[in-house]
Structure formats: C-alpha cells, structure tokens
Amino acid sequence: MVPLTRISHVAVIVRDLETTFKWYSEVLGFEKRADVSLGSSERWLAIGLPDQPDFSIFLECPKVETHGSDLYAVLSERIDKGSGLVLTTPDCREAHRKLVSCGVRFLSEPTKFPWGTTAMFEDLDGNALVLFEPGDAS
C-alpha cells in the first residue's frame, strides 16, 4: 500500500486567476490563502473556506511558457470538464436560491436523495461544483 497521509488541496484549472478568484470570493465566500508567483509567467492562488483552514483549492491558469506545449494542452483541455468539488451546506435549497440570485448557472435543481440533497452548478469557467446538504444516510 502507498503511504498516503492526507489530502492537502485540489487544483481547479481556470482561464483567468483574478476574475475567477473574485467570483469564488464574492459569490461563494472563499478567502485567499496564498498568492504564489513562480517566475515571470506562472502564478497560482490558494483559496479556501474561512472555517476550514486545513483544505485549499489551488486556482491555476496554465501557461505554455511554464508547462511546455504538451502539458499546457493537457491542462487547457481540463477547463470546463468539472472539478469534483462538493460544497456542504446546511440548507441546499436556500443556498441554491441565494446563488441563483447572484446569477450562478445551475445544471440541476436541488434534488433529495437518501444520502442528502444536491444541486450542481458551474463556476465562471464551466467547472462543475455540487451543493450538498447531508441527509439521514450520510
């Protein structure tokens, strides 16, 4: 078995760091944790929820100058293919209403399942995120 100890962060590939960070902070309430420049063209932002300091999302905007043409092509293809991020909320329907009022595009309405209520939406780059309200079987 591989000696893995924890999940530290998840990367979300985006088109524009500043615009995407503004959306994640103003619409979803994320805070900036780190703003890292790696040379003249590479930069990424670590963001997270204020009440969960041990887990971050790294927003990354691929650059051919940094990644080379092959890896740049792979990373660029991941934009708008989904993120796998599931955001827990105590009230999925209320969170859905608030996000809709902010202009967020939903891919599904809140739906109740035995494990909880979920609704899928997109960030500015088309990456899918899920609202999740735990149910009795969670």
Side-chain angles (χ1 to χ4, degrees):
M1 182 182 300
V2 178
L4 303 176
T5 59
R6 63 189 287 269
I7 298 171
S8 65
H9 65 277
V10 115
V12 175
I13 310 300
V14 302
R15 290 182 181 87
D16 180 275
L17 286 177
E18 292 301 327
T19 302
T20 301
F21 170 67
K22 183 177 178 182
W23 186 85
Y24 272 81
S25 64
E26 292 178 2
V27 175
L28 300 180
F30 281 75
E31 64 184 10
K32 187 185 296 184
R33 299 207 172 133
D35 187 341
V36 179
S37 292
L38 305 169
S40 61
S41 64
E42 180 67 9
R43 178 176 169 230
W44 50 261
L45 295 174
I47 64 172
L49 292 171
D51 292 336
Q52 190 179 15
D54 61 334
F55 185 79
S56 295
I57 296 169
F58 285 32
L59 299 178
E60 181 179 359
C61 182
K63 304 284 185 205
V64 73
E65 303 86 9
T66 304
H67 296 98
S69 58
D70 290 343
L71 184 53
Y72 170 79
V74 169
L75 292 173
S76 294
E77 282 294 316
R78 289 181 52 204
I79 296 173
D80 81 8
K81 299 296 189 254
S83 68
L85 292 175
V86 177
L87 305 172
T88 301
T89 177
D91 187 335
C92 187
R93 292 182 192 329
E94 179 62 19
H96 172 265
R97 278 191 289 279
K98 287 181 178 179
L99 290 172
V100 166
S101 74
C102 292
V104 173
R105 181 175 179 266
F106 272 80
L107 303 173
S108 70
E109 295 294 314
T111 304
K112 186 171 179 139
F113 297 98
W115 57 86
T117 303
T118 67
M120 185 178 287
F121 64 102
E122 291 182 323
D123 71 8
L124 292 177
D125 294 293
N127 294 305
L129 299 100
V130 176
L131 287 176
F132 172 63
E133 176 187 337
D136 296 335
S138 295

